Each structure stands twice: as C-alpha cells, then as structure tokens.
Amino acid sequence: MLDVILVSNYSMKDELKESLQENDVNFYDLMIQDIQHIERYPIDDEYKTIIIQSANAIKKIDSSNNHIYNAEKIYGIGPNCRAWVSKKFSLDCTIPDNDYSSIGLIEKIEKENNALGKTLLLKGIGGKNIIKEYLDDRKINYSVRDVYERVLNRENLDKVIEASKNGAIIIGFIKSSVEPLLDDTRASLKELHFMVLDKSDENIVNENQVKSLTKINDIYDIEALTNALMKINV
C-alpha cells in the first residue's frame, strides 16, 4: 500500500486519517505551506456585503470585529467558510451550491442577483484575483483586506520528499499547497499520485508531470474521498 500524505490545510483531516487507518493505509499530515495571519481586525467599517475568499481569511479574525454584524450578506467560497462564520459569529454565510471555487461563488452571487453595495473582500496575500476582477468589472465599491500569507515550512517539505521517494499519494487541494513540492528538484514526481480539488478555474497539477492525477469535487465527503484514494492504492 502506498502512503497517503496530506500537504493541504484540511479541517477534516482527523476523520480522513481514521478512515484510511481502517483500510490499513498510513497517513501523514505534513502541510508544506504554513498559514501566517497578519490581520486580526480587517473589518474596519460597515459593509453591506462581505466576501470571504478562503476559510483562512475568517478563522483567525478576532470575534470582537463587531462591524461584521452590520453586513446584510456574507458570502464564502465553501463549507469551511460557512462553518467558521457560524462558529465565531453565529451568522449565516452563503456558499456555492456545489462548485466551491471563485467561479462557483461568482455564479452564486449572480444567481441571487442582489445589489452588493459597499463590499469587503477578505483574502490572503498571493491569492487568486478572480473575485477581485469580477468586482472591478461590475464596478462595485469594494475594499480588499489581505488577512494572511503562506510561509514555506521547509522541515515538512523535506519530510514529504523523504517519505515519498519510493512513491506515495499526495493530497493537495489547491495549487499553492503543492507548488513547493512540484518545484523541488529532489521530488520524484513520476512516482507520485496527486489528488486535487477539481477547480474549473485552476490547473493545479500538470498530469504529464506526475504518476497520476485524480480530481475530486467534494472534499467533505470522507467516504467518497477514501474510496477514491483506495482506487489509486491498488
């Protein structure tokens, strides 16, 4: 059996680990891009709409950011965003119906056809600009707050390269989580199977560069995720 190495931030990693261990698969949690939060009070004014581009952009915000309670609408990119908004602020957060990506969120906003008004976009440094460009195109009055940045964890990168030198399955849901591994000349990419989130707006891994590439639609369905991993691990 090939080892499974998670290199992305994932809120259900404990459930995944338990499921894989029941199938006698070794699981390693080695995130190679740490999240460093740089702004805990980014909601500096009253906004009609708040858009959360990543769960990392909301999870470390101080719960005393009272301006959030004056927002008429809060949008998030996926279930993790919604969970953190509910947990920290006991507020609702609207997310895409199924495509948990920037494109999916824009489609949800368009479908609801609400006037966004004064808008705040919460994101990370180096994050994608798809939503920002959409707001520009719509000529929305908006502000952007970079709440966090990704910092390379060299120790974990070294561990991933060592643990995967004879083959492994790498789980990296977004491009930034796997880029350091893809760019490292020590990595035996042709021995590695990659599992990524199927994002229509992002080419996460070039399948010609690696042993195999599997795309999944729902990272929160542990049974389906485990089954997909076991199909690779034969």
mmCIF file of all heavy atoms in Angstrom, residues 70-117:
data_model
loop_
_atom_site.group_PDB
_atom_site.id
_atom_site.type_symbol
_atom_site.label_atom_id
_atom_site.label_comp_id
_atom_site.label_asym_id
_atom_site.label_seq_id
_atom_site.Cartn_x
_atom_site.Cartn_y
_atom_site.Cartn_z
ATOM 1 N N ASN A 70 -23.154 44.057 11.044
ATOM 2 C CA ASN A 70 -23.942 45.029 10.287
ATOM 3 C C ASN A 70 -24.042 44.687 8.809
ATOM 4 O O ASN A 70 -24.777 45.353 8.074
ATOM 5 C CB ASN A 70 -23.333 46.429 10.455
ATOM 6 C CG ASN A 70 -23.378 46.906 11.895
ATOM 7 O OD1 ASN A 70 -24.395 46.785 12.556
ATOM 8 N ND2 ASN A 70 -22.262 47.435 12.375
ATOM 9 N N ALA A 71 -23.315 43.674 8.379
ATOM 10 C CA ALA A 71 -23.373 43.268 6.972
ATOM 11 C C ALA A 71 -24.725 42.616 6.670
ATOM 12 O O ALA A 71 -25.215 41.793 7.451
ATOM 13 C CB ALA A 71 -22.240 42.307 6.650
ATOM 14 N N GLU A 72 -25.304 42.995 5.539
ATOM 15 C CA GLU A 72 -26.572 42.391 5.133
ATOM 16 C C GLU A 72 -26.367 41.000 4.551
ATOM 17 O O GLU A 72 -27.253 40.143 4.633
ATOM 18 C CB GLU A 72 -27.279 43.283 4.110
ATOM 19 C CG GLU A 72 -27.733 44.632 4.670
ATOM 20 C CD GLU A 72 -28.475 45.456 3.633
ATOM 21 O OE1 GLU A 72 -28.906 44.888 2.597
ATOM 22 O OE2 GLU A 72 -28.624 46.666 3.861
ATOM 23 N N LYS A 73 -25.182 40.779 3.951
ATOM 24 C CA LYS A 73 -24.934 39.499 3.300
ATOM 25 C C LYS A 73 -23.470 39.109 3.449
ATOM 26 O O LYS A 73 -22.567 39.940 3.267
ATOM 27 C CB LYS A 73 -25.280 39.595 1.809
ATOM 28 C CG LYS A 73 -25.322 38.271 1.076
ATOM 29 C CD LYS A 73 -26.561 37.475 1.429
ATOM 30 C CE LYS A 73 -26.676 36.201 0.609
ATOM 31 N NZ LYS A 73 -27.903 35.443 0.891
ATOM 32 N N ILE A 74 -23.236 37.840 3.789
ATOM 33 C CA ILE A 74 -21.882 37.298 3.859
ATOM 34 C C ILE A 74 -21.798 36.111 2.901
ATOM 35 O O ILE A 74 -22.612 35.184 2.963
ATOM 36 C CB ILE A 74 -21.523 36.843 5.287
ATOM 37 C CG1 ILE A 74 -21.615 38.014 6.266
ATOM 38 C CG2 ILE A 74 -20.115 36.229 5.316
ATOM 39 C CD1 ILE A 74 -21.424 37.613 7.714
ATOM 40 N N TYR A 75 -20.827 36.169 1.995
ATOM 41 C CA TYR A 75 -20.579 35.072 1.059
ATOM 42 C C TYR A 75 -19.251 34.397 1.405
ATOM 43 O O TYR A 75 -18.281 35.058 1.783
ATOM 44 C CB TYR A 75 -20.498 35.580 -0.384
ATOM 45 C CG TYR A 75 -21.809 36.015 -0.987
ATOM 46 C CD1 TYR A 75 -22.141 37.362 -1.056
ATOM 47 C CD2 TYR A 75 -22.702 35.081 -1.512
ATOM 48 C CE1 TYR A 75 -23.345 37.777 -1.627
ATOM 49 C CE2 TYR A 75 -23.903 35.481 -2.079
ATOM 50 C CZ TYR A 75 -24.220 36.824 -2.139
ATOM 51 O OH TYR A 75 -25.405 37.223 -2.704
ATOM 52 N N GLY A 76 -19.197 33.077 1.235
ATOM 53 C CA GLY A 76 -17.959 32.329 1.442
ATOM 54 C C GLY A 76 -17.741 31.344 0.311
ATOM 55 O O GLY A 76 -18.690 30.951 -0.377
ATOM 56 N N ILE A 77 -16.508 30.903 0.151
ATOM 57 C CA ILE A 77 -16.165 30.077 -1.001
ATOM 58 C C ILE A 77 -16.519 28.603 -0.818
ATOM 59 O O ILE A 77 -16.558 27.842 -1.773
ATOM 60 C CB ILE A 77 -14.668 30.238 -1.342
ATOM 61 C CG1 ILE A 77 -14.423 29.976 -2.830
ATOM 62 C CG2 ILE A 77 -13.806 29.341 -0.459
ATOM 63 C CD1 ILE A 77 -13.102 30.504 -3.319
ATOM 64 N N GLY A 78 -16.808 28.175 0.434
ATOM 65 C CA GLY A 78 -17.134 26.773 0.647
ATOM 66 C C GLY A 78 -17.624 26.481 2.050
ATOM 67 O O GLY A 78 -17.757 27.383 2.885
ATOM 68 N N PRO A 79 -17.912 25.198 2.349
ATOM 69 C CA PRO A 79 -18.447 24.794 3.652
ATOM 70 C C PRO A 79 -17.580 25.199 4.843
ATOM 71 O O PRO A 79 -18.097 25.484 5.920
ATOM 72 C CB PRO A 79 -18.534 23.266 3.526
ATOM 73 C CG PRO A 79 -18.667 23.018 2.067
ATOM 74 C CD PRO A 79 -17.828 24.067 1.400
ATOM 75 N N ASN A 80 -16.259 25.207 4.651
ATOM 76 C CA ASN A 80 -15.382 25.572 5.758
ATOM 77 C C ASN A 80 -15.556 27.047 6.135
ATOM 78 O O ASN A 80 -15.531 27.411 7.311
ATOM 79 C CB ASN A 80 -13.922 25.295 5.377
ATOM 80 C CG ASN A 80 -13.109 24.809 6.563
ATOM 81 O OD1 ASN A 80 -13.651 24.533 7.624
ATOM 82 N ND2 ASN A 80 -11.815 24.711 6.378
ATOM 83 N N CYS A 81 -15.739 27.890 5.136
ATOM 84 C CA CYS A 81 -16.023 29.307 5.404
ATOM 85 C C CYS A 81 -17.311 29.436 6.208
ATOM 86 O O CYS A 81 -17.374 30.160 7.216
ATOM 87 C CB CYS A 81 -16.165 30.093 4.103
ATOM 88 S SG CYS A 81 -14.630 30.404 3.225
ATOM 89 N N ARG A 82 -18.339 28.768 5.749
ATOM 90 C CA ARG A 82 -19.636 28.831 6.424
ATOM 91 C C ARG A 82 -19.535 28.341 7.865
ATOM 92 O O ARG A 82 -20.115 28.947 8.783
ATOM 93 C CB ARG A 82 -20.670 28.002 5.657
ATOM 94 C CG ARG A 82 -22.069 28.052 6.261
ATOM 95 C CD ARG A 82 -23.085 27.430 5.326
ATOM 96 N NE ARG A 82 -22.769 26.049 5.017
ATOM 97 C CZ ARG A 82 -23.409 25.339 4.088
ATOM 98 N NH1 ARG A 82 -24.365 25.900 3.362
ATOM 99 N NH2 ARG A 82 -23.083 24.084 3.872
ATOM 100 N N ALA A 83 -18.786 27.264 8.069
ATOM 101 C CA ALA A 83 -18.648 26.717 9.413
ATOM 102 C C ALA A 83 -17.957 27.707 10.357
ATOM 103 O O ALA A 83 -18.365 27.873 11.514
ATOM 104 C CB ALA A 83 -17.864 25.407 9.358
ATOM 105 N N TRP A 84 -16.911 28.384 9.875
ATOM 106 C CA TRP A 84 -16.182 29.326 10.727
ATOM 107 C C TRP A 84 -16.990 30.587 11.008
ATOM 108 O O TRP A 84 -16.930 31.140 12.113
ATOM 109 C CB TRP A 84 -14.829 29.674 10.100
ATOM 110 C CG TRP A 84 -13.786 28.646 10.402
ATOM 111 C CD1 TRP A 84 -13.323 27.665 9.586
ATOM 112 C CD2 TRP A 84 -13.108 28.474 11.652
ATOM 113 N NE1 TRP A 84 -12.391 26.892 10.231
ATOM 114 C CE2 TRP A 84 -12.236 27.369 11.505
ATOM 115 C CE3 TRP A 84 -13.142 29.142 12.870
ATOM 116 C CZ2 TRP A 84 -11.417 26.910 12.529
ATOM 117 C CZ3 TRP A 84 -12.321 28.695 13.899
ATOM 118 C CH2 TRP A 84 -11.476 27.595 13.724
ATOM 119 N N VAL A 85 -17.752 31.059 10.032
ATOM 120 C CA VAL A 85 -18.610 32.232 10.268
ATOM 121 C C VAL A 85 -19.652 31.903 11.333
ATOM 122 O O VAL A 85 -19.930 32.711 12.229
ATOM 123 C CB VAL A 85 -19.287 32.686 8.959
ATOM 124 C CG1 VAL A 85 -20.350 33.747 9.238
ATOM 125 C CG2 VAL A 85 -18.251 33.227 7.984
ATOM 126 N N SER A 86 -20.209 30.715 11.247
ATOM 127 C CA SER A 86 -21.198 30.284 12.230
ATOM 128 C C SER A 86 -20.567 30.102 13.612
ATOM 129 O O SER A 86 -21.120 30.538 14.626
ATOM 130 C CB SER A 86 -21.839 28.973 11.771
ATOM 131 O OG SER A 86 -22.730 28.474 12.740
ATOM 132 N N LYS A 87 -19.381 29.474 13.628
ATOM 133 C CA LYS A 87 -18.715 29.179 14.900
ATOM 134 C C LYS A 87 -18.270 30.451 15.625
ATOM 135 O O LYS A 87 -18.466 30.582 16.834
ATOM 136 C CB LYS A 87 -17.504 28.281 14.643
ATOM 137 C CG LYS A 87 -16.702 27.923 15.887
ATOM 138 C CD LYS A 87 -15.540 27.000 15.529
ATOM 139 C CE LYS A 87 -14.722 26.633 16.751
ATOM 140 N NZ LYS A 87 -13.600 25.715 16.427
ATOM 141 N N LYS A 88 -17.698 31.393 14.899
ATOM 142 C CA LYS A 88 -17.119 32.584 15.535
ATOM 143 C C LYS A 88 -18.134 33.696 15.757
ATOM 144 O O LYS A 88 -18.052 34.430 16.734
ATOM 145 C CB LYS A 88 -15.954 33.134 14.693
ATOM 146 C CG LYS A 88 -14.745 32.234 14.643
ATOM 147 C CD LYS A 88 -13.608 32.881 13.891
ATOM 148 C CE LYS A 88 -12.949 33.974 14.686
ATOM 149 N NZ LYS A 88 -12.074 33.480 15.734
ATOM 150 N N PHE A 89 -19.108 33.817 14.830
ATOM 151 C CA PHE A 89 -20.004 34.968 14.885
ATOM 152 C C PHE A 89 -21.484 34.604 14.942
ATOM 153 O O PHE A 89 -22.325 35.497 15.049
ATOM 154 C CB PHE A 89 -19.755 35.867 13.664
ATOM 155 C CG PHE A 89 -18.341 36.347 13.545
ATOM 156 C CD1 PHE A 89 -17.466 35.764 12.634
ATOM 157 C CD2 PHE A 89 -17.866 37.371 14.342
ATOM 158 C CE1 PHE A 89 -16.156 36.208 12.517
ATOM 159 C CE2 PHE A 89 -16.558 37.812 14.244
ATOM 160 C CZ PHE A 89 -15.699 37.231 13.327
ATOM 161 N N SER A 90 -21.806 33.308 14.850
ATOM 162 C CA SER A 90 -23.200 32.842 14.852
ATOM 163 C C SER A 90 -24.017 33.535 13.761
ATOM 164 O O SER A 90 -25.183 33.903 13.967
ATOM 165 C CB SER A 90 -23.851 33.074 16.228
ATOM 166 O OG SER A 90 -23.169 32.361 17.232
ATOM 167 N N LEU A 91 -23.416 33.698 12.587
ATOM 168 C CA LEU A 91 -24.060 34.336 11.452
ATOM 169 C C LEU A 91 -24.156 33.354 10.288
ATOM 170 O O LEU A 91 -23.446 32.351 10.234
ATOM 171 C CB LEU A 91 -23.269 35.573 11.010
ATOM 172 C CG LEU A 91 -23.209 36.742 12.003
ATOM 173 C CD1 LEU A 91 -22.243 37.805 11.502
ATOM 174 C CD2 LEU A 91 -24.591 37.341 12.227
ATOM 175 N N ASP A 92 -25.060 33.666 9.352
ATOM 176 C CA ASP A 92 -25.192 32.838 8.153
ATOM 177 C C ASP A 92 -24.155 33.247 7.114
ATOM 178 O O ASP A 92 -23.751 34.411 7.046
ATOM 179 C CB ASP A 92 -26.591 32.995 7.557
ATOM 180 C CG ASP A 92 -27.674 32.415 8.454
ATOM 181 O OD1 ASP A 92 -27.382 31.429 9.155
ATOM 182 O OD2 ASP A 92 -28.805 32.943 8.443
ATOM 183 N N CYS A 93 -23.755 32.292 6.299
ATOM 184 C CA CYS A 93 -22.799 32.548 5.226
ATOM 185 C C CYS A 93 -23.260 31.763 4.005
ATOM 186 O O CYS A 93 -23.397 30.541 4.055
ATOM 187 C CB CYS A 93 -21.396 32.115 5.652
ATOM 188 S SG CYS A 93 -20.121 32.283 4.376
ATOM 189 N N THR A 94 -23.518 32.458 2.917
ATOM 190 C CA THR A 94 -23.980 31.828 1.690
ATOM 191 C C THR A 94 -22.787 31.321 0.882
ATOM 192 O O THR A 94 -21.818 32.053 0.675
ATOM 193 C CB THR A 94 -24.784 32.827 0.837
ATOM 194 O OG1 THR A 94 -25.920 33.259 1.586
ATOM 195 C CG2 THR A 94 -25.248 32.188 -0.463
ATOM 196 N N ILE A 95 -22.861 30.069 0.428
ATOM 197 C CA ILE A 95 -21.767 29.468 -0.328
ATOM 198 C C ILE A 95 -22.305 28.907 -1.650
ATOM 199 O O ILE A 95 -23.525 28.785 -1.823
ATOM 200 C CB ILE A 95 -21.066 28.351 0.473
ATOM 201 C CG1 ILE A 95 -22.036 27.192 0.744
ATOM 202 C CG2 ILE A 95 -20.507 28.902 1.781
ATOM 203 C CD1 ILE A 95 -21.382 25.978 1.398
ATOM 204 N N PRO A 96 -21.432 28.568 -2.583
ATOM 205 C CA PRO A 96 -21.893 27.969 -3.849
ATOM 206 C C PRO A 96 -22.676 26.687 -3.600
ATOM 207 O O PRO A 96 -22.497 26.010 -2.584
ATOM 208 C CB PRO A 96 -20.593 27.688 -4.608
ATOM 209 C CG PRO A 96 -19.592 28.633 -4.010
ATOM 210 C CD PRO A 96 -19.969 28.769 -2.578
ATOM 211 N N ASP A 97 -23.526 26.330 -4.559
ATOM 212 C CA ASP A 97 -24.330 25.117 -4.418
ATOM 213 C C ASP A 97 -23.462 23.865 -4.467
ATOM 214 O O ASP A 97 -23.720 22.900 -3.752
ATOM 215 C CB ASP A 97 -25.395 25.060 -5.524
ATOM 216 C CG ASP A 97 -26.390 26.210 -5.401
ATOM 217 O OD1 ASP A 97 -26.691 26.611 -4.267
ATOM 218 O OD2 ASP A 97 -26.847 26.705 -6.451
ATOM 219 N N ASN A 98 -22.432 23.874 -5.310
ATOM 220 C CA ASN A 98 -21.562 22.688 -5.388
ATOM 221 C C ASN A 98 -20.139 23.004 -5.840
ATOM 222 O O ASN A 98 -19.210 22.355 -5.408
ATOM 223 C CB ASN A 98 -22.169 21.613 -6.313
ATOM 224 C CG ASN A 98 -22.702 22.182 -7.606
ATOM 225 O OD1 ASN A 98 -22.000 22.910 -8.295
ATOM 226 N ND2 ASN A 98 -23.955 21.860 -7.928
ATOM 227 N N ASP A 99 -19.937 23.999 -6.683
ATOM 228 C CA ASP A 99 -18.608 24.330 -7.189
ATOM 229 C C ASP A 99 -17.924 25.289 -6.216
ATOM 230 O O ASP A 99 -18.091 26.494 -6.288
ATOM 231 C CB ASP A 99 -18.721 24.967 -8.574
ATOM 232 C CG ASP A 99 -17.350 25.327 -9.160
ATOM 233 O OD1 ASP A 99 -16.325 24.974 -8.549
ATOM 234 O OD2 ASP A 99 -17.320 25.974 -10.223
ATOM 235 N N TYR A 100 -17.132 24.719 -5.289
ATOM 236 C CA TYR A 100 -16.509 25.527 -4.238
ATOM 237 C C TYR A 100 -15.218 26.154 -4.751
ATOM 238 O O TYR A 100 -14.108 25.742 -4.418
ATOM 239 C CB TYR A 100 -16.251 24.675 -2.991
ATOM 240 C CG TYR A 100 -17.502 23.997 -2.469
ATOM 241 C CD1 TYR A 100 -17.499 22.640 -2.143
ATOM 242 C CD2 TYR A 100 -18.689 24.705 -2.326
ATOM 243 C CE1 TYR A 100 -18.638 22.008 -1.671
ATOM 244 C CE2 TYR A 100 -19.842 24.092 -1.863
ATOM 245 C CZ TYR A 100 -19.811 22.741 -1.537
ATOM 246 O OH TYR A 100 -20.949 22.126 -1.082
ATOM 247 N N SER A 101 -15.386 27.149 -5.590
ATOM 248 C CA SER A 101 -14.264 27.849 -6.207
ATOM 249 C C SER A 101 -14.662 29.301 -6.411
ATOM 250 O O SER A 101 -15.821 29.690 -6.170
ATOM 251 C CB SER A 101 -13.896 27.220 -7.551
ATOM 252 O OG SER A 101 -14.932 27.452 -8.504
ATOM 253 N N SER A 102 -13.709 30.115 -6.858
ATOM 254 C CA SER A 102 -14.013 31.513 -7.143
ATOM 255 C C SER A 102 -15.114 31.623 -8.196
ATOM 256 O O SER A 102 -16.044 32.433 -8.061
ATOM 257 C CB SER A 102 -12.754 32.242 -7.621
ATOM 258 O OG SER A 102 -11.757 32.245 -6.625
ATOM 259 N N ILE A 103 -15.028 30.778 -9.231
ATOM 260 C CA ILE A 103 -16.040 30.795 -10.288
ATOM 261 C C ILE A 103 -17.401 30.391 -9.721
ATOM 262 O O ILE A 103 -18.428 31.016 -10.023
ATOM 263 C CB ILE A 103 -15.649 29.850 -11.436
ATOM 264 C CG1 ILE A 103 -14.353 30.323 -12.106
ATOM 265 C CG2 ILE A 103 -16.773 29.748 -12.455
ATOM 266 C CD1 ILE A 103 -14.457 31.662 -12.789
ATOM 267 N N GLY A 104 -17.417 29.357 -8.895
ATOM 268 C CA GLY A 104 -18.665 28.905 -8.295
ATOM 269 C C GLY A 104 -19.303 29.963 -7.419
ATOM 270 O O GLY A 104 -20.534 30.132 -7.406
ATOM 271 N N LEU A 105 -18.477 30.697 -6.680
ATOM 272 C CA LEU A 105 -19.008 31.749 -5.807
ATOM 273 C C LEU A 105 -19.575 32.902 -6.633
ATOM 274 O O LEU A 105 -20.639 33.449 -6.316
ATOM 275 C CB LEU A 105 -17.909 32.249 -4.871
ATOM 276 C CG LEU A 105 -18.332 33.320 -3.850
ATOM 277 C CD1 LEU A 105 -19.528 32.846 -3.027
ATOM 278 C CD2 LEU A 105 -17.171 33.668 -2.931
ATOM 279 N N ILE A 106 -18.880 33.263 -7.692
ATOM 280 C CA ILE A 106 -19.378 34.323 -8.572
ATOM 281 C C ILE A 106 -20.722 33.914 -9.185
ATOM 282 O O ILE A 106 -21.663 34.713 -9.253
ATOM 283 C CB ILE A 106 -18.346 34.642 -9.672
ATOM 284 C CG1 ILE A 106 -17.146 35.362 -9.056
ATOM 285 C CG2 ILE A 106 -18.972 35.495 -10.773
ATOM 286 C CD1 ILE A 106 -15.970 35.519 -10.008
ATOM 287 N N GLU A 107 -20.828 32.657 -9.599
ATOM 288 C CA GLU A 107 -22.094 32.171 -10.167
ATOM 289 C C GLU A 107 -23.213 32.245 -9.136
ATOM 290 O O GLU A 107 -24.360 32.584 -9.475
ATOM 291 C CB GLU A 107 -21.914 30.740 -10.668
ATOM 292 C CG GLU A 107 -21.037 30.634 -11.905
ATOM 293 C CD GLU A 107 -20.786 29.203 -12.332
ATOM 294 O OE1 GLU A 107 -21.124 28.276 -11.547
ATOM 295 O OE2 GLU A 107 -20.250 28.997 -13.438
ATOM 296 N N LYS A 108 -22.902 31.956 -7.879
ATOM 297 C CA LYS A 108 -23.906 32.041 -6.815
ATOM 298 C C LYS A 108 -24.348 33.488 -6.609
ATOM 299 O O LYS A 108 -25.547 33.772 -6.462
ATOM 300 C CB LYS A 108 -23.332 31.473 -5.513
ATOM 301 C CG LYS A 108 -24.318 31.456 -4.353
ATOM 302 C CD LYS A 108 -25.466 30.488 -4.609
ATOM 303 C CE LYS A 108 -26.376 30.369 -3.418
ATOM 304 N NZ LYS A 108 -27.491 29.411 -3.652
ATOM 305 N N ILE A 109 -23.389 34.402 -6.589
ATOM 306 C CA ILE A 109 -23.707 35.828 -6.421
ATOM 307 C C ILE A 109 -24.587 36.308 -7.578
ATOM 308 O O ILE A 109 -25.574 37.020 -7.382
ATOM 309 C CB ILE A 109 -22.411 36.657 -6.335
ATOM 310 C CG1 ILE A 109 -21.653 36.324 -5.034
ATOM 311 C CG2 ILE A 109 -22.716 38.156 -6.392
ATOM 312 C CD1 ILE A 109 -20.263 36.934 -4.956
ATOM 313 N N GLU A 110 -24.236 35.904 -8.801
ATOM 314 C CA GLU A 110 -25.002 36.298 -9.975
ATOM 315 C C GLU A 110 -26.424 35.723 -9.925
ATOM 316 O O GLU A 110 -27.397 36.396 -10.275
ATOM 317 C CB GLU A 110 -24.296 35.813 -11.241
ATOM 318 C CG GLU A 110 -23.052 36.605 -11.593
ATOM 319 C CD GLU A 110 -23.407 37.953 -12.199
ATOM 320 O OE1 GLU A 110 -23.957 37.984 -13.312
ATOM 321 O OE2 GLU A 110 -23.146 38.975 -11.525
ATOM 322 N N LYS A 111 -26.529 34.477 -9.476
ATOM 323 C CA LYS A 111 -27.828 33.813 -9.405
ATOM 324 C C LYS A 111 -28.755 34.524 -8.422
ATOM 325 O O LYS A 111 -29.957 34.677 -8.689
ATOM 326 C CB LYS A 111 -27.636 32.351 -8.994
ATOM 327 C CG LYS A 111 -28.910 31.539 -8.939
ATOM 328 C CD LYS A 111 -28.613 30.097 -8.545
ATOM 329 C CE LYS A 111 -29.887 29.268 -8.465
ATOM 330 N NZ LYS A 111 -29.605 27.857 -8.074
ATOM 331 N N GLU A 112 -28.195 34.958 -7.299
ATOM 332 C CA GLU A 112 -29.022 35.644 -6.305
ATOM 333 C C GLU A 112 -29.391 37.056 -6.749
ATOM 334 O O GLU A 112 -30.406 37.608 -6.292
ATOM 335 C CB GLU A 112 -28.294 35.688 -4.956
ATOM 336 C CG GLU A 112 -28.145 34.327 -4.311
ATOM 337 C CD GLU A 112 -27.844 34.414 -2.823
ATOM 338 O OE1 GLU A 112 -27.409 35.488 -2.362
ATOM 339 O OE2 GLU A 112 -28.049 33.413 -2.134
ATOM 340 N N ASN A 113 -28.533 37.647 -7.578
ATOM 341 C CA ASN A 113 -28.837 38.946 -8.196
ATOM 342 C C ASN A 113 -29.146 40.033 -7.163
ATOM 343 O O ASN A 113 -30.040 40.876 -7.365
ATOM 344 C CB ASN A 113 -30.009 38.801 -9.180
ATOM 345 C CG ASN A 113 -30.102 39.974 -10.135
ATOM 346 O OD1 ASN A 113 -29.093 40.591 -10.483
ATOM 347 N ND2 ASN A 113 -31.318 40.307 -10.560
ATOM 348 N N ASN A 114 -28.424 40.009 -6.049
ATOM 349 C CA ASN A 114 -28.572 41.051 -5.044
ATOM 350 C C ASN A 114 -27.627 42.216 -5.352
ATOM 351 O O ASN A 114 -26.543 42.010 -5.898
ATOM 352 C CB ASN A 114 -28.245 40.509 -3.649
ATOM 353 C CG ASN A 114 -29.247 39.476 -3.176
ATOM 354 O OD1 ASN A 114 -30.438 39.603 -3.439
ATOM 355 N ND2 ASN A 114 -28.766 38.446 -2.482
ATOM 356 N N ALA A 115 -28.040 43.421 -4.996
ATOM 357 C CA ALA A 115 -27.150 44.576 -5.105
ATOM 358 C C ALA A 115 -26.105 44.462 -4.000
ATOM 359 O O ALA A 115 -26.441 44.501 -2.811
ATOM 360 C CB ALA A 115 -27.945 45.867 -4.981
ATOM 361 N N LEU A 116 -24.834 44.302 -4.378
ATOM 362 C CA LEU A 116 -23.794 44.068 -3.379
ATOM 363 C C LEU A 116 -23.533 45.300 -2.530
ATOM 364 O O LEU A 116 -23.229 45.189 -1.347
ATOM 365 C CB LEU A 116 -22.496 43.623 -4.072
ATOM 366 C CG LEU A 116 -22.549 42.289 -4.823
ATOM 367 C CD1 LEU A 116 -21.202 41.980 -5.440
ATOM 368 C CD2 LEU A 116 -22.996 41.158 -3.911
ATOM 369 N N GLY A 117 -23.622 46.482 -3.125
ATOM 370 C CA GLY A 117 -23.339 47.701 -2.385
ATOM 371 C C GLY A 117 -21.885 47.752 -1.943
ATOM 372 O O GLY A 117 -20.998 47.141 -2.548
#
